[in-house]
Amino acid sequence: MRATKAIIYSDNLKNNIAEIKKNLKKGVKLCCAVKADGYGNGGINAAKIAEEMGAEYLAIATVDEGLELRENGIKAKLLLLSPCIPQEFEELIKNKITPLIFDKEVIDLLEEEAEKCGVKNEEVFLAVDTGMGRIGCLAQESAELAKYISDKKHLTLSGMITHFAVSDSVTEDNISYTKKQAELFKLAVENVKNEGINPGIITASASAAGIAMPELQFDMIRPGIILYGYYADEVTEDYLLSKGIHLSLKPVMQFETTVSAIRPFTPGRSVSYGRTWECSKETDIAVLPVGYADGLLRRNSPGLKVSINGKEYPLVGRICMDQCMVDIGKNNPNVHRWDKVIIFGPKDKGALYDADDIAKMTGTISYEVMTSISKRVERIYR
Ligand SMILES: *Cc1c(COP(=O)(O)O)cnc(C)c1O
């Protein structure tokens, strides 16, 4: 087994789901986002745990992701958050995946395919763009489209969905933008009801609004990032506490490797491509078999430190595709060849950084840090 791996602490995932459930208003359903292989944390494992813990829906991004979940015995309803192409409709329908739809062209094509597949009630959610500017119809189009769906013999409108653009920010401006989006969404739902059509499950909030604005939970929330142990940007533990909301999250993924060699360096010698680091005094350099092809973003060096046996050591020189180097100092009794090296993970298990710290250092978000951990990094479930 390769040294570089991602340990997935399932107990932490369970803790996070339990914490989310504590914050759900009575009767509110859970749709756990397991898209992108569970944000890199293993989609099947996350789906199984979420299903066991009562999630009625799981959110995915591609039909292939849904197929994989079905092949692994997942029975929960699957909500496809990103549009797919007509060539995927057959697979979508046969695997009971619920798409988000917002125009007549797709409704017609889906109806045709559902009829071909002999499926009477392919469930669909009507997506409303209330200000995210990504997918969805406009609020004033919702009634006509809902009617168009309910006139189809093989389709069933089972929900309405919108998505917030700035709900992970806590500035006054952004909070009022989110509230305006919510008002538009309510209007879109009312319009459908006034047409005499049951809009089904009403859902608007992902992690941030789902916890910070309980009044926007509607019938179902769609948490993603908090499942995996990270707060949604400015909606931090402290911010939530200031509003009397308790949410204690634990990071799920630990990204680690092993010291593959230790090599003595003398002044004047340099390390890695571009010779960005030059040895100024005698030291030992530990070589790690992990690089940007594993998801250790190249822009992490210089700056990143790793944890070896509880002490921190800086990366030196550029991160290569498959390896990188760490300055451990001369004759360090704390570091031996084959020792474990933790790059990020839960701090109570020895990591110096979590994925949020890495994100802040490199100008991105924890979502990207975790989804960047590539396929060749084996996930080990604990
Ligand atoms: C990814 C996604 C979510 C989950 O978002 P988080 O910020 O990770 O909670 C919910 N809804 C939609 C439409 C999404 O695309």
Side-chain angles (χ1 to χ4, degrees):
M1 189 215 297
R2 203 184 156 215
T4 300
K5 47 189 175 270
I7 308 294
I8 304 300
Y9 294 109
S10 293
D11 281 349
N12 287 2
L13 179 61
K14 288 176 191 165
N15 167 80
N16 301 338
I17 297 177
E19 285 289 301
I20 296 164
K21 283 173 76 174
K22 272 193 232 160
N23 284 285
L24 282 184
K25 296 204 294 183
K26 201 159 176 276
V28 173
K29 294 180 180 14
L30 201 52
C31 171
C32 289
V34 299
K35 60 191 181 186
D37 197 29
Y39 292 35
N41 293 258
I44 296 165
N45 184 59
K48 283 186 177 157
I49 289 173
E51 190 173 56
E52 267 166 35
M53 293 184 71
E56 277 171 68
Y57 276 82
L58 301 170
I60 52 175
T62 69
V63 174
D64 284 346
E65 288 175 355
L67 187 61
E68 195 186 17
L69 293 180
R70 291 288 182 242
E71 283 169 355
N72 282 276
I74 296 296
K75 297 280 184 298
K77 290 183 182 272
L78 300 177
L79 196 59
L80 183 70
L81 300 175
S82 307
C84 65
I85 54 174
Q87 290 87 329
E88 298 175 285
F89 286 177
E90 184 182 346
E91 205 85 84
L92 174 123
I93 290 166
K94 287 186 170 159
N95 287 286
K96 286 187 150 295
I97 296 170
T98 305
L100 310 190
I101 47 109
F102 48 92
D103 63 76
K104 291 181 179 172
E105 180 180 3
V106 168
I107 297 170
D108 287 339
L109 288 169
L110 261 180
E111 166 71 8
E112 214 176 281
E113 191 63 47
E115 183 171 11
K116 239 191 255 167
C117 294
V119 168
K120 282 210 184 59
N121 52 349
E122 167 64 12
E123 297 189 3
V124 300
F125 270 46
L126 178 60
V128 187
D129 180 7
T130 55
M132 170 66 184
R134 194 166 63 183
I135 58 166
C137 66
L138 300 178
Q140 61 267 30
E141 298 169 327
S142 66
E144 190 187 341
L145 286 169
K147 175 91 175 44
Y148 201 73
I149 294 164
S150 60
D151 285 346
K152 298 290 186 192
K153 285 200 186 68
H154 304 83
L155 302 183
T156 304
L157 178 65
S158 60
M160 285 181 69
I161 180 171
T162 196
H163 194 50
F164 296 130
V166 286
S167 59
D168 56 357
S169 162
V170 301
T171 66
E172 213 176 292
D173 268 8
N174 285 335
I175 289 173
S176 84
Y177 189 86
T178 300
K179 287 181 175 164
K180 269 187 214 140
Q181 279 196 260
E183 286 313 309
L184 256 183
F185 186 47
K186 284 183 203 164
L187 185 72
V189 173
E190 275 318 301
N191 290 344
V192 169
K193 285 183 180 162
N194 289 341
E195 195 71 27
I197 297 169
N198 179 357
I201 296 168
I202 306 305
T203 176
S205 300
S207 294
I211 301 297
M213 303 170 93
E215 69 278 15
L216 301 185
Q217 288 183 354
F218 299 105
D219 298 329
M220 180 164 84
I221 66 167
R222 311 184 304 271
I225 195 68
I226 52 178
L227 301 173
Y228 308 106
Y230 295 96
Y231 295 87
D233 201 17
E234 294 170 23
V235 180
T236 59
E237 183 167 20
D238 287 344
Y239 173 76
L240 291 170
L241 260 183
S242 78
K243 302 191 62 175
I245 298 168
H246 296 259
L247 185 76
S248 173
L249 303 176
K250 294 180 177 170
V252 172
M253 182 195 293
Q254 175 170 299
F255 187 34
E256 62 172 55
T257 187
T258 297
V259 174
S260 60
I262 296 177
R263 304 182 54 240
F265 270 63
T266 48
R269 288 172 60 192
S270 58
V271 164
S272 196
Y273 294 120
R275 306 191 59 213
T276 56
W277 186 86
E278 195 177 285
C279 184
S280 59
K281 62 171 197 287
E282 281 210 8
T283 193
D284 294 334
I285 297 291
V287 183
L288 311 182
V290 58
Y292 59 78
D294 299 300
L296 182 62
L297 307 178
R298 190 170 176 270
R299 59 184 185 273
N300 272 306
S301 182
L304 191 73
K305 293 180 181 134
V306 296
S307 171
I308 309 176
N309 298 319
K311 294 217 169 80
E312 53 188 81
Y313 303 98
L315 290 194
V316 290
R318 290 216 175 113
I319 293 170
C320 308
M321 185 183 288
D322 316 298
Q323 302 188 76
C324 64
M325 277 65 79
V326 174
D327 184 0
I328 55 171
K330 195 73 205 160
N331 296 329
N332 187 337
N334 183 55
V335 182
H336 318 89
R337 196 176 202 179
W338 320 128
D339 278 355
K340 180 162 89 175
V341 179
I342 303 179
I343 300 162
F344 68 79
K347 289 174 189 172
D348 62 2
K349 303 221 188 275
L352 183 59
Y353 300 119
D354 62 28
D356 240 349
D357 299 324
I358 306 243
K360 293 219 165 67
M361 289 188 310
T362 51
T364 184
I365 51 179
S366 58
Y367 303 63
E368 195 188 14
V369 171
M370 291 190 290
T371 57
S372 295
I373 304 305
S374 66
K375 215 172 174 174
R376 80 175 186 194
V377 177
E378 197 183 340
R379 270 65 172 173
I380 312 283
Y381 301 95
R382 294 247 167 96

